[in-house]
Amino acid sequence: MKLSKVGIDILKNLATINQGMIFKPGSVLKTMNVMKNTFAVAHIPDVFPVEFAIYDLNEFLIAYSLSQDCDIEFKETMMLFSQGGEQTEYFYSSPSVVVSPGDKNITLPSTDKKFLLSKEVFDKIMKVSAALKLKDIEIDSSGIRILNKNSVGNRHHIKLPIECFNSTEDTIATLKVENLKLMPGDYDVTICQKGLARFSSRSEEYKVEYHIALEAN
């Protein structure tokens, strides 16, 4: 098999959440970070025939790219990357050293807020947080605030139409900026005030969904 551009792009993104991954047979990728507060699931065009573990996704992708447009052959303990007269033997890792969600699926107990997070707004959040050294975002019925929680320092407010349910108009949802490891694009965001936010990509090509834990207020 060969890895598609979409598959490679998504793997690069998932590597920012967790450097390791356990691949299951099929075309669904799942990962979560070491703190277990960020969970991601993606559907890619590529189909993996066997289960295997990779300790360092970035290294794996570099090894794959050393031979342009190479084929992958899956063996019992390793993969073979072959192109022309060249071949790389890349060995699997032990699953025990990789933090993985396994077969776990995440669902939201309730829907308390919904809104569209455009690529432009997400880019602005990341730009402002980096420029002003802000680590948190707060979401309520007025939109998004970028700030340092429990601080009287700098803040940036972005007005957005936030759809609220269950009389939670004034309830604030707080997220860590560092947990927003999203691929570029537009997202439908759903917030459950019991402690979770879901970011669902609107892209027909990059089918990725992230669940990120809310911070305690």
Side-chain angles (χ1 to χ4, degrees):
M1 68 169 286
K2 299 179 187 293
L3 289 178
S4 65
K5 181 184 183 302
V6 171
I8 291 173
D9 290 344
I10 288 176
L11 284 169
K12 287 179 179 178
N13 170 254
L14 298 183
T16 67
I17 298 173
N18 186 343
Q19 70 171 9
M21 179 179 291
I22 295 179
F23 291 75
K24 301 286 187 177
S27 58
V28 178
L29 303 176
K30 293 182 182 180
T31 193
M32 67 181 179
N33 64 357
V34 176
M35 299 298 293
K36 299 182 180 180
N37 58 16
T38 301
F39 173 90
V41 58
H43 298 262
I44 64 173
D46 316 308
V47 180
F48 294 96
V50 297
E51 179 174 332
F52 61 97
I54 295 295
Y55 180 74
D56 189 334
L57 282 174
N58 287 316
E59 181 188 76
F60 161 70
L61 291 169
I62 290 172
Y64 177 75
S65 69
L66 291 175
S67 298
Q68 193 173 25
D69 198 35
C70 68
D71 291 303
I72 304 177
E73 185 179 355
F74 295 86
K75 300 292 188 179
E76 185 176 353
T77 60
M78 64 182 177
M79 285 175 278
L80 295 179
F81 302 150
S82 302
Q83 197 274 329
E86 299 181 20
Q87 192 173 78
T88 300
E89 298 177 356
Y90 194 87
F91 283 80
Y92 308 135
S93 301
S94 169
S96 63
V97 300
V98 178
V99 175
S100 169
D103 295 324
K104 184 178 181 180
N105 293 309
I106 303 293
T107 57
L108 297 183
S110 64
T111 296
D112 298 310
K113 290 182 177 65
K114 290 182 72 175
F115 63 97
L116 167 64
L117 179 66
S118 68
K119 180 182 183 300
E120 291 72 24
V121 171
F122 175 70
D123 289 346
K124 177 56 71 71
I125 290 171
M126 303 311 289
K127 183 177 180 179
V128 169
S129 64
L132 300 181
K133 298 180 175 60
L134 304 177
K135 299 179 179 179
D136 304 291
I137 67 170
E138 291 183 343
I139 304 167
D140 63 14
S141 57
S142 67
I144 293 175
R145 286 182 299 279
I146 313 162
L147 71 166
N148 286 322
K149 191 178 174 184
N150 302 322
S151 169
V152 294
N154 300 321
R155 298 185 175 201
H156 186 85
H157 186 204
I158 302 173
K159 291 185 178 180
L160 283 179
I162 308 289
E163 189 176 5
C164 298
F165 305 89
N166 304 324
S167 301
T168 57
E169 304 290 333
D170 299 322
T171 304
I172 297 173
T174 305
L175 291 158
K176 285 291 184 186
V177 173
E178 65 182 17
N179 291 334
L180 297 178
K181 308 290 189 180
L182 310 182
M183 295 197 72
D186 299 332
Y187 287 85
D188 289 313
V189 182
T190 305
I191 292 176
C192 171
Q193 290 297 160
K194 293 182 179 179
L196 203 58
R198 181 177 64 210
F199 295 76
S200 301
S201 172
R202 285 193 163 194
S203 172
E204 291 295 325
E205 190 173 23
Y206 291 88
K207 300 176 182 179
V208 191
E209 186 174 270
Y210 308 84
H211 286 85
I212 302 172
L214 302 181
E215 300 298 306
N217 289 315

